[in-house]
Amino acid sequence: MASEFDLIARHFTRTAPGDILGVGDDCALFPVPEGMRVAVSKDLLIAGRHFYPDADPRAVGHKALAVNLSDLAAMGAQPLGCLLGLALPARDDAWLAAFAEGFHALARAHGCPLIGGDTTRSPHDLTLSVTVFGAVPADTALRRDGACVDDDIWVSGALGAADVAYRLLDGQLPADAARLALTRRALEWPQPRVALGLALRGLAHAAIDLSDGLGQDLGHILTASGVAAELLFESLPRAAGLDGLPPAVLRQALLGGGDVYELCFTASPARRAEIEAAGAACGVPLTRIGRIQAGQGLVLRDAQGQAIEQLPGGFDHFA
Ligand code: ADP
Ligand code: MG
């Protein structure tokens, strides 16, 4: 289809910066900084599953890249560039133009140019896949397996808004326009914590981004590191728009709610002042929410120090 190339030229071809060979050849070429490892990650998004088919296409473009940049952030990697795979049921130039605007704006903001991809017509729902490339020194990459006993557990930003917005839009919570207005931006326009990830190189022992919920994602750090953790429920930073929710809904939003794209990381208590300075320099609030312990498993304690039973689970596509 001749218009495949016109579509790519119109919506996805931007002049690649400096010494990058971007869209238009068989492969893109980009330089890799001396002594660095290439960090690579990919996410797949399907209309109707990961975003509403009638969602603002600018927000879909933003989020498609944001969730991938969040993986680079969680590794402490500097973005280098990205690829976009598109399977489209039909060509809709107004939708594509808005999608591309949201995508390119975030790409520019993080120095992560779109350098290639693939485009096809599809008999299925609109499907997008973004692959990001970043650079990180091998010895300071923020892996999941580095948490140490007695580390503090930190989280950036605030929790729960995306989950509440999703449940409001999905009809699982009673309609509440004021609550939706406070929480919706977190769901549709997540801000990947790239600068914070870079600032945590050499400070954090382990890190992960909260795509599937704090309980589950912190669980991945614990399993990979062979340690346990204790979390204090009252210390979990709450997003605006969560007041007055039933306790079980609040607990689910804070611990089980996915799509957060904040960073959870562990670090030695000796580094608290440096970590607070790193958060301040990036303009991201950081909160200590618990401690790494010997053993296995995750215990959540209430304000009286009692263990809270029945931690809500995180998101699992095949559960
Ligand atoms: P090939 O046949 O070598 O796979 P294509 O015809 O699929 O090449 O793509 C032509 C050029 O357009 C390539 O540089 C490719 O990376 C780029 N491209 C295709 N689809 C997209 C897209 N959705 N976003 C960005 N670049 C794309
Ligand atoms: Mg191709």
Side-chain angles (χ1 to χ4, degrees):
M1 86 185 179
S3 69
E4 174 189 333
F5 303 105
D6 164 63
L7 184 159
I8 295 164
R10 185 178 313 183
H11 300 296
F12 299 113
T13 305
R14 296 288 185 278
T15 308
D19 42 6
I20 294 177
L21 179 66
V23 172
D25 214 312
D26 296 310
C27 289
L29 299 174
F30 61 88
V32 179
E34 187 77 30
M36 297 283 212
R37 298 293 168 95
V38 177
V40 187
S41 182
K42 173 187 214 61
D43 267 290
L44 200 54
L45 292 99
I46 299 174
R49 183 164 291 261
H50 299 93
F51 58 92
Y52 291 101
D54 60 352
D56 173 0
R58 274 189 320 126
V60 175
H62 171 95
K63 190 165 173 179
L65 180 57
V67 302
N68 283 277
L69 287 172
S70 179
D71 283 319
L72 290 183
M75 210 71 195
Q78 174 79 57
L80 296 173
C82 61
L83 303 176
L84 171 64
L86 274 179
L88 302 168
R91 176 168 179 168
D92 175 346
D93 275 292
W95 192 95
L96 284 167
F99 171 87
E101 190 187 316
F103 191 102
H104 290 301
L106 189 67
R108 266 194 309 278
H110 289 284
C112 189
L114 179 61
I115 58 177
D118 201 27
T119 306
T120 180
R121 188 189 280 273
S122 161
H124 305 292
D125 291 328
L126 172 66
T127 302
L128 312 162
S129 182
V130 177
T131 303
V132 280
F133 300 89
V136 67
D139 55 345
T140 53
L142 306 179
R143 296 167 50 135
R144 296 179 180 184
D145 59 2
C148 303
V149 172
D150 291 333
D151 272 2
D152 292 323
I153 303 169
W154 296 79
V155 72
S156 67
L159 304 172
D163 188 65
V164 167
Y166 165 73
R167 284 171 203 280
L168 286 167
L169 291 169
D170 199 48
Q172 297 177 38
L173 287 174
D176 184 335
R179 200 186 285 292
L180 184 59
L182 285 169
T183 54
R184 187 169 192 162
R185 213 176 153 74
L187 179 67
E188 294 180 339
W189 295 90
Q191 297 300 322
R193 301 303 195 187
V194 175
L196 178 63
L198 294 175
L200 291 175
R201 284 181 186 170
L203 276 178
H205 287 154
I208 194 166
D209 68 322
L210 299 182
S211 48
D212 296 325
L214 175 63
Q216 182 166 309
D217 288 323
L218 176 57
H220 292 316
I221 287 184
L222 303 182
T223 304
S225 302
V227 292
E230 183 175 85
L231 287 185
L232 302 173
F233 184 71
E234 297 303 322
S235 70
L236 300 179
R238 296 178 191 191
L242 272 54
D243 292 345
L245 287 171
V249 174
L250 178 65
R251 200 179 298 169
Q252 154 63 34
L254 295 177
L255 283 149
D259 252 2
V260 184
Y261 306 109
E262 294 294 347
L263 299 185
C264 176
F265 58 95
T266 84
S268 163
R271 314 299 295 271
R272 279 179 193 168
E274 291 161 89
I275 286 168
E276 269 155 13
C282 302
V284 182
L286 299 178
T287 309
R288 269 189 291 124
I289 59 171
R291 213 163 57 92
I292 297 292
Q293 298 174 328
Q296 55 181 13
L298 178 59
V299 176
L300 181 67
R301 296 202 184 276
D302 65 17
Q304 285 71 47
Q306 296 293 318
I308 299 175
E309 303 299 327
Q310 286 193 329
L311 280 180
F315 189 74
D316 180 343
H317 279 281
F318 292 100

